[in-house]
Amino acid sequence: MVFSSVVFLFRFLPIFMICYYLVPRRMKNFVLLIGSLFFYAWGEPVYVLLMLFSTVSDYLHGILIDRFRGKRAAKVFLVSSVLINLLVLGFFKYADFLTATVNGVAGTQIPQLNLPLPIGISFYTFQTMSYTIDVYRGEAKVQKNLLDFGVFVTMFPQLIAGPIVKYKQVAAQLADRRVDVHKISDGAKRFVVGLAKKVLIANNIGALWAEVSAMEYGNLSALTAWLGILAFAFQIYFDFSGYSDMAIGLGACMGFDFPENFNYPYIVASVTEFWRRWHISLSSWFREYVYIPLGGNRKGLLRQLRNILIVWMLTGIWHGAGWNFLLWGLWFAFFLILEKLFYRKTGNTPSKGIGMIYTWLVVVLGWVLFEIETPQKIAAFLQAMFGMNPTGFLDGQGLYLGREYLLLFLLAVVASTPFVHFLTQKLKRSKTGYAMAVYRLGEKVIPAALLLLSIAYIVDASYNPFLYFRF
């Protein structure tokens, strides 16, 4: 069940919200747990047991770590918790990849398991690991209420695609949270904005990438190839950030404050800054639980560069079981290290314009590695991007696609900047009656219009993918 579906919007969500708001406060966690389990079981009933296993395992490990705090046994239980989580994640996500690699290298014929990847396992595994690590560090109090801990792991708003929520970020809210009309209103608006980003922009511009990616790469002109991969760049941004907005909005409607996950990453002038704004919860997780424990930047430049390389290799394979994801992680590690060395030596950064062009080029080429799976296809698509095919740089097909999607590209460009937010805040702060009237009208009309347009699209459209379900 996805948020941008008729089943979720018109069946699950209304029934759940009515139950959630009607029950007394002490019963809300129970309703949220049951609703979340039903939500997950809708698509994968068997894997609910796997999620419950992870929940109970880390709940018990947290209690044992706390009980033996200060003793060697606490570290043993921490290692046990981390190993169990990584083994479960590794088995379901990487077993077939490793089997295929061994078969390819050794010429063996070990059968693959062909198990479907449990939805959301990469996200909830990192959440439960952060809990036991924080309990061990003394940065979070142990949770002895299994119901509350179960809610933390299974909360359906951010279960499938994040943001990755650390236990210490919501511990107090699990025990006591307030929901008022203003918070519900703000949460609903945030959900609608995310829904519109997903179905009105991501799905529509993603159709261009679906069309281009299905073509023979050896026949693509440079224009067609660039239009296709730029479409994917906007699709994955609005798809993923839209889902994060919907999760944050739903959380607010239930009294939770989830962390932000995106902050206009396409307007930055360095790769380093891009990764401070893209999938923020994942970047901060790796920084807090991998980069800093490895020594961060505290043990000399060489160790720091090594740590960056390790983190980005792990970031790459976290996204998927494929050599292209490892290559994608190494690609960004190279530029992050390059920036670290260059900026450290010169103390200068490029101008905003040059920096944005450079960053866009690195990021867009990175999306080629991310989305296209085999080295042969990656090479063929890059060849097309740089005009090395017989079709050259321009052809009728590219010009046609450019005309067809021009307005959608312009909308995507504007929506990926803070322009709308800036304009809204300017109207809100204005002291003139006309500006305030426009703001108040827009505050009510625009979300309603976006909701109606989104619903109309959902009902009518058949193309409604969600990219991060694969990861």
Side-chain angles (χ1 to χ4, degrees), residues 93-98 100-101 312-330 369-375 378 470-471:
K93 194 165 186 175
Y94 305 106
D96 282 347
F97 169 67
L98 293 175
T101 301
W312 281 94
M313 289 175 65
L314 294 175
T315 301
I317 61 175
W318 179 89
H319 280 84
W323 290 109
N324 63 309
F325 291 110
L326 178 60
L327 183 60
W328 176 76
L330 291 173
L369 307 178
F370 184 91
E371 176 64 3
I372 302 175
E373 295 180 355
T374 66
I378 290 172
R470 295 183 300 167
F471 313 124

Side-chain angles (χ1 to χ4, degrees), residues 134-176:
D134 286 343
V135 170
Y136 177 79
R137 291 174 173 177
E139 297 177 2
K141 291 183 179 180
V142 67
Q143 176 57 265
K144 296 183 178 180
N145 186 315
L146 181 57
L147 172 63
D148 289 356
F149 186 74
V151 169
F152 160 68
V153 178
T154 66
M155 275 190 292
F156 75 86
Q158 44 74 237
L159 171 65
I160 291 176
I164 299 171
V165 177
K166 305 181 187 86
Y167 175 77
K168 58 190 175 185
Q169 293 175 314
V170 295
Q173 297 166 37
L174 288 168
D176 182 31

Side-chain angles (χ1 to χ4, degrees), residues 107-257:
T108 56
Q109 294 184 340
I110 303 172
Q112 294 186 343
L113 299 174
N114 294 318
L115 292 172
L117 180 66
I119 293 174
I121 189 172
S122 298
F123 291 89
Y124 71 71
T125 298
F126 271 29
Q127 289 191 181
T128 56
M129 277 202 298
S130 74
Y131 166 73
T132 52
I133 294 170
D134 286 343
V135 170
Y136 177 79
R137 291 174 173 177
E139 297 177 2
K141 291 183 179 180
V142 67
Q143 176 57 265
K144 296 183 178 180
N145 186 315
L146 181 57
L147 172 63
D148 289 356
F149 186 74
V151 169
F152 160 68
V153 178
T154 66
M155 275 190 292
F156 75 86
Q158 44 74 237
L159 171 65
I160 291 176
I164 299 171
V165 177
K166 305 181 187 86
Y167 175 77
K168 58 190 175 185
Q169 293 175 314
V170 295
Q173 297 166 37
L174 288 168
D176 182 31
R177 56 188 179 273
R178 304 282 177 174
V179 181
D180 56 37
V181 174
H182 294 294
K183 195 160 190 175
I184 294 172
S185 175
D186 290 342
K189 290 174 186 175
R190 184 71 179 267
F191 178 86
V192 169
V193 168
L195 183 67
K197 287 165 72 173
K198 163 73 179 122
V199 302
L200 299 181
I201 302 180
N203 286 2
N204 283 292
I205 207 163
L208 171 57
W209 169 242
E211 183 177 350
V212 172
S213 63
M215 297 176 183
E216 175 59 49
Y217 292 169
N219 296 327
L220 296 180
S221 68
L223 177 60
T224 302
W226 275 97
L227 286 172
I229 200 60
L230 287 173
F232 176 78
F234 284 120
Q235 180 192 13
I236 195 169
Y237 170 64
F238 288 108
D239 188 272
F240 194 14
S241 69
Y243 228 89
S244 293
D245 286 339
M246 287 188 276
I248 293 168
L250 288 172
C253 290
M254 289 180 267
F256 289 97
D257 295 313

